[in-house]
């Protein structure tokens, strides 16, 4: 009886409330009409005043239509990577073109707002392509290296009306991979040799050939030793300091801001210092090595001097402390360079060797990755070791790690946020700037496999992908929308995880991820989805807007539909315009640059 009375009372209160609100709304309608009428009148008066009155506060500037179209290029053509006239393959570009990196044929275009086809790479498939802030380089189908950009041409760059496209620099060495820094380009050949050339054309002028020591002769002559045969530029081969085993060669390289990592076919990890700043945060993994003397005249075996690059945190522990905490004895920071006076570290011959990291001897490594000032390796058992700068937590050692520099390889634990019964193994790693991405494969006791993308570091512009803007993240977090994805596998008739096919992390904070949505899709699969997130100040995400995205988002084409990277057989030309082969297996590959992005056709 009590419950029935309470229900009736609740219904009566609800009915009374509805009637009261209806009555109040009816009484408020005339007042609202008066307010709307008065607001419309005020708006009309304001519009009449603004159109009939000229305010002489600032000078009136009427931009020309051609200037607007040059500064920001919008989408007026297709963005599929296939030309509309003859169906040839071509690249797709968007983002900043301030230094003529992604669109050298149109130097007046400062930004490309939407993804558009790039005619300057029409019919061309590449072995590799890399972007830096002011210059870029690629490897064509024949294994030759081409360079372009304002940073490459330097003072020889012409006016905006005369574009300068890719220029052949290093040829005849069968290059398969490139790594770019601000001043140098490192190239890995198919035979496992590593070469270095200057990023600027003026610094590539070949020096006069040096004479061999007295009483010695060479069948090839000094020009062959210094690479003058077939190349009119100055380049150098970087050789390992420790002897390689029988049949061992380099298979991968990865460059940071001032250091280079190299991996051999037997799993050995070596490092190369580019200049005196190569070990400011311990990213080398070692401190002492030797370099050739700049005054040496011996071509075959130049004299060498030992040097030591001490990390800043070791040389000056009070570098980030307040003046009150700094003692009188440490008021002057000590030098981090030892025995380097008078040595030019801006030349490509500052160091000519690769040195094996002592703490990694005996550890078989399957993958290497270098951030701006960090280094990472994945062991054959799926464990991750990282070292270098850690002020943003980019190594991923956890939120309780307060050290901003890690000078020795330290294990990165990726299983903190999962139950102990779940086995975690790292299968891929990508790093750029102060941002790091780990691809972790997780397996429970019932053989249930799924894949997570874990990110850490500086996510100030949304690069972490966890829907938050955080400038420091030491504990790797799970990126949304791309973690734990599964699809039906037609071959095994089971659910299989969707793996990231490729990840490109920009040093400026945006990420391009290609999902392998075609691996288990069967013959009807169209391609691989492209997912983007992070900073977007220069339209580098391809959304047509300049607002950053803190969560991975599937990119859509300007003409409609998802942005899917395709694969096909197509005729391929080199960058000289000659046909290399007529039926070549190629696939689209996304690269994140400095405020820009490009998709090119990569030879498989």
């Amino acid at each position: 009886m009590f419950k029935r009375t309470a229900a009736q009372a609740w219904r009566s209160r609800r009915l009374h409330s509805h009637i009261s609100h209806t009555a109040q709304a009816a009484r408020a309608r005339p007042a609202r009409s008066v307010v709307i009428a008065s607001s419309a009148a005020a708006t009309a008066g304001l519009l009449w005043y603004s159109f009939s009155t000229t305010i002489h506060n600032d000078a009136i500037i009427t931009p020309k239509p051609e200037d607007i179209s040059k500064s920001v290029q919008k989408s007026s053509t297709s963005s599929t990577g296939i030309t509309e006239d003859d169906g040839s393959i071509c690249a797709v570009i968007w983002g900043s073109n301030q230094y003529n990196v992604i669109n050298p044929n149109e130097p007046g275009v400062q930004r490309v707002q939407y993804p558009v086809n790039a005619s300057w790479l029409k019919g061309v498939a590449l072995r590799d392509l890399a972007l830096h802030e002011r210059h870029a380089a690629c490897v064509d189908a024949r294994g030759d290296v081409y360079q372009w950009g304002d940073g490459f041409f330097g003072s020889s760059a012409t006016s905006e009306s005369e574009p300068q496209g890719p220029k052949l620099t290093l040829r005849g060495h069968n290059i398969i991979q490139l790594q770019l820094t601000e001043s140098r380009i490192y190239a890995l050949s198919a035979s496992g040799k590593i070469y270095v050339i200057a990023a600027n054309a003026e610094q590539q002028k070949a020096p006069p050939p040096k004479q061999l020591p007295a009483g010695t002769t060479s069948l090839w002559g000094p020009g062959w030793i210094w690479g003058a045969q077939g190349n009119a530029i100055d380049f150098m081969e970087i050789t390992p300091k420790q002897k390689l085993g029988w049949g061992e060669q380099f298979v991968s390289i990865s460059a940071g801001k001032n250091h280079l990592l190299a991996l051999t076919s037997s799993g050995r990890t070596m490092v190369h210092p580019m200049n005196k700043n190569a070990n400011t945060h311990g990213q080398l993994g070692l401190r002492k090595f030797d370099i050739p003397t700049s005054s040496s005249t011996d071509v075959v075996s130049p004299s060498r001097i030992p040097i030591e690059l001490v990390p800043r945190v070791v040389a000056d522990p009070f570098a980030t402390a307040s003046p009150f905490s700094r003692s009188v004895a440490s008021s002057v920071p000590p030098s981090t360079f030892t025995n380097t006076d008078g040595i030019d570290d801006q030349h490509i011959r500052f160091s000519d060797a690769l040195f094996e990291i002592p703490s990694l001897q005996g550890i078989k490594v399957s993958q290497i990755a270098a951030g701006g000032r960090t280094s990472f390796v994945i062991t054959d058992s799926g464990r991750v070791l990282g070292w270098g700068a850690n002020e943003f937590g980019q190594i991923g050692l956890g939120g309780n790690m307060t050290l901003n520099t890690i000078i020795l390889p330290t294990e990165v634990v990726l299983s903190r946020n999962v139950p102990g019964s779940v086995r975690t193994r790292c299968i891929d790693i990508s790093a750029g700037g102060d941002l790091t991405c780990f691809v972790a494969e997780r397996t429970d006791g019932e053989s249930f496999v799924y894949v997570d993308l874990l990110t850490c570091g500086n996510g100030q512009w949304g690069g972490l992908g966890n829907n938050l803007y955080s400038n420091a993240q030491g504990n790797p977090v799970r990126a949304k929308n791309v973690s734990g994805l599964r699809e039906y596998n037609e071959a095994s008739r089971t659910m299989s995880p969707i793996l990231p096919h490729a990840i490109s992390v920009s040093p400026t904070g945006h990420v391009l991820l290609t999902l392998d949505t075609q691996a288990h899709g069967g013959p009807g699969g169209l391609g691989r989805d492209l997912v983007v997130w992070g900073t977007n100040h220069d339209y580098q995400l391809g959304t047509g807007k300049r607002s950053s995205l803190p969560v991975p988002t599937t990119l859509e084409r300007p003409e409609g539909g998802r942005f899917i990277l395709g694969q096909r057989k197509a005729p391929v030309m080199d960058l000289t315009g000659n046909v290399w082969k007529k039926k070549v297996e190629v696939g689209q590959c996304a690269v994140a640059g400095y405020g820009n992005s490009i998709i090119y056709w990569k030879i498989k």
Side-chain angles (χ1 to χ4, degrees):
M1 187 68 180
F2 175 76
K3 293 183 179 179
R4 183 178 181 183
T5 305
Q8 291 177 352
W10 178 80
R11 293 192 188 96
S12 63
R13 287 196 301 270
R14 183 179 181 184
L15 179 61
H16 179 267
S17 176
H18 175 72
I19 296 175
S20 301
H21 285 298
T22 305
Q24 292 177 2
R27 289 194 299 269
R29 284 194 186 99
R32 184 182 302 176
S33 302
V34 174
V35 172
I36 294 175
S38 61
S39 300
T43 304
L46 180 60
L47 290 175
W48 173 85
Y49 177 79
S50 61
F51 281 109
S52 60
T53 306
T54 301
I55 302 177
H56 299 278
N57 188 24
D58 295 325
I60 301 176
I61 300 177
T62 304
K64 297 180 180 180
E66 56 269 18
D67 295 338
I68 298 177
S69 62
K70 285 184 178 181
S71 61
V72 178
Q73 178 180 345
K74 297 183 179 181
S75 177
S76 58
T77 59
S78 174
S79 63
T80 59
I82 306 295
T83 58
E84 298 177 348
D85 51 357
D86 56 357
S88 301
I89 59 176
C90 64
V92 182
I93 58 173
W94 65 89
S96 173
N97 192 46
Q98 182 179 0
Y99 301 105
N100 299 318
V101 171
I102 62 172
N103 195 8
N105 285 356
E106 299 183 19
V109 178
Q110 296 294 317
R111 292 184 180 89
V112 182
Q113 186 173 358
Y114 293 94
V116 295
N117 288 346
S119 59
W120 63 282
L121 284 178
K122 178 180 178 181
V124 177
L126 305 172
R127 295 186 180 185
D128 196 12
L129 184 146
L131 304 176
H132 207 265
E133 183 179 9
R134 296 173 178 264
H135 65 96
C138 70
V139 184
D140 70 347
R142 301 185 187 277
D144 298 331
V145 178
Y146 288 78
Q147 296 177 245
W148 66 93
D150 293 351
F152 168 67
F153 292 104
S155 59
S156 62
T158 58
S159 61
E160 293 185 357
S161 60
E162 298 180 7
Q164 290 186 322
K167 180 181 178 181
L168 176 62
T169 54
L170 185 64
R171 62 181 178 183
H173 292 277
N174 197 15
I175 302 301
I176 59 175
Q177 184 186 2
L178 291 178
Q179 289 291 297
L180 272 58
T181 66
E182 183 179 1
S183 60
R184 301 171 191 178
I185 294 180
Y186 292 87
L188 175 66
S189 68
S191 60
K193 295 182 179 180
I194 301 176
Y195 302 96
V196 57
I197 59 177
N200 186 272
E202 296 181 356
Q203 299 176 359
Q204 291 181 355
K205 296 179 180 179
K210 295 185 178 181
Q211 300 296 327
L212 291 174
T216 60
T217 59
S218 174
L219 177 64
W220 303 101
W224 176 82
I225 295 178
W226 292 104
Q229 295 288 338
N231 287 278
I233 66 169
D234 182 23
F235 74 100
M236 180 184 63
E237 179 185 352
I238 302 177
T239 58
K241 187 67 175 179
Q242 291 78 13
K243 186 178 180 180
L244 298 180
W246 178 261
E248 185 180 11
Q249 64 179 18
F250 291 102
V251 296
S252 177
I253 57 176
S254 182
K257 189 175 182 180
N258 300 296
H259 73 293
L260 177 79
L261 294 177
L263 179 66
T264 68
S265 55
S266 62
R268 297 167 64 186
T269 306
M270 297 190 181
V271 67
H272 167 74
M274 300 180 189
N275 48 42
K276 298 178 183 179
N277 295 322
N279 203 37
T280 56
H281 293 79
Q283 58 265 41
L284 287 181
L286 52 86
R287 293 165 53 175
K288 297 180 179 180
F289 54 92
D290 58 3
I291 60 174
T293 58
S294 58
S295 59
S296 176
T297 60
D298 192 352
V299 178
V300 179
S301 57
S303 60
R304 311 183 70 86
I305 57 174
I307 68 170
E308 182 178 5
L309 299 182
V310 183
R312 292 176 180 174
V313 68
V314 178
D316 185 13
F318 299 94
T320 59
S322 62
F324 178 78
S325 302
R326 183 183 291 272
S327 61
V328 178
S330 62
S331 59
V332 180
S335 176
T336 58
F337 317 124
T338 303
N339 203 18
T340 59
D341 297 337
I343 297 178
D344 182 16
D345 63 341
Q346 300 303 316
H347 199 274
I348 62 173
R349 288 186 172 83
F350 167 75
S351 176
D352 60 351
L354 289 145
F355 304 91
E356 187 172 6
I357 301 176
S359 57
L360 294 181
Q361 291 182 358
I363 299 177
K364 189 174 182 179
V365 174
S366 60
Q367 185 184 353
I368 57 174
R373 298 162 299 153
T374 53
S375 302
F376 297 93
V377 297
I378 301 179
T379 65
D380 57 349
S381 60
R383 294 186 175 183
V384 181
L385 301 176
W387 64 98
N390 193 48
E391 64 267 44
F392 300 103
Q394 57 264 46
I395 297 182
L397 299 179
N400 296 327
M401 176 61 67
T402 58
L403 297 177
N404 60 3
T405 299
I406 307 297
I407 61 176
L408 292 177
T410 306
E411 183 175 1
V412 180
V413 180
L414 302 178
S415 57
R416 290 189 179 93
N417 300 327
V418 295
S421 59
V422 177
R423 180 178 179 271
T424 301
R425 182 174 67 94
C426 185
I427 58 177
D428 192 17
I429 183 172
S430 300
D434 298 322
L435 190 64
T436 310
C437 298
F438 306 95
V439 180
E441 180 186 75
R442 306 191 191 276
T443 307
D444 60 0
E446 300 178 356
S447 299
F448 181 81
V449 181
Y450 63 97
V451 174
D452 286 341
L453 178 66
L454 306 177
T455 59
C456 61
N458 188 357
Q460 182 179 2
W461 310 108
L464 296 173
N466 62 341
N467 205 18
L468 295 175
Y469 296 94
S470 175
N471 61 353
Q473 180 64 43
N475 188 24
V477 295
R478 194 168 181 257
K480 297 180 179 294
N481 297 343
V482 292
S483 299
L485 300 180
R486 297 172 64 83
E487 64 179 351
Y488 182 73
N489 189 342
E490 294 185 356
S492 61
R493 298 179 181 271
T494 57
M495 298 296 294
S496 299
I498 301 178
L499 301 175
H501 178 262
I503 304 175
S504 181
V505 182
S506 168
T508 56
H510 76 284
V511 183
L512 304 181
L513 183 144
T514 306
L515 283 175
D516 195 4
T517 50
Q518 195 181 19
H520 308 297
L526 298 177
R528 300 183 175 97
D529 289 274
L530 182 62
V531 183
V532 300
W533 71 93
T535 182
N536 196 27
H537 300 162
D538 294 312
Y539 305 103
Q540 56 261 50
L541 295 184
T543 60
K545 302 177 182 179
R546 303 184 71 175
S547 56
S548 301
L549 296 177
V551 63
T553 305
T554 302
L555 183 62
E556 295 185 357
R557 300 186 184 275
E559 58 269 24
R562 304 197 323 266
F563 209 114
I564 298 179
L565 305 186
Q567 306 177 41
R568 63 184 305 184
K569 285 186 177 181
V572 174
M573 298 187 301
D574 56 17
L575 284 176
T576 60
N578 298 322
V579 177
W580 180 62
K581 290 183 180 180
K582 293 185 177 181
K583 291 185 178 181
V584 183
E585 287 282 350
V586 295
Q588 288 180 302
C589 180
V591 177
Y594 284 69
N596 46 39
S597 304
I598 186 171
I599 296 176
Y600 71 97
W601 290 90
K602 184 181 180 71
I603 300 175
K604 293 186 177 181

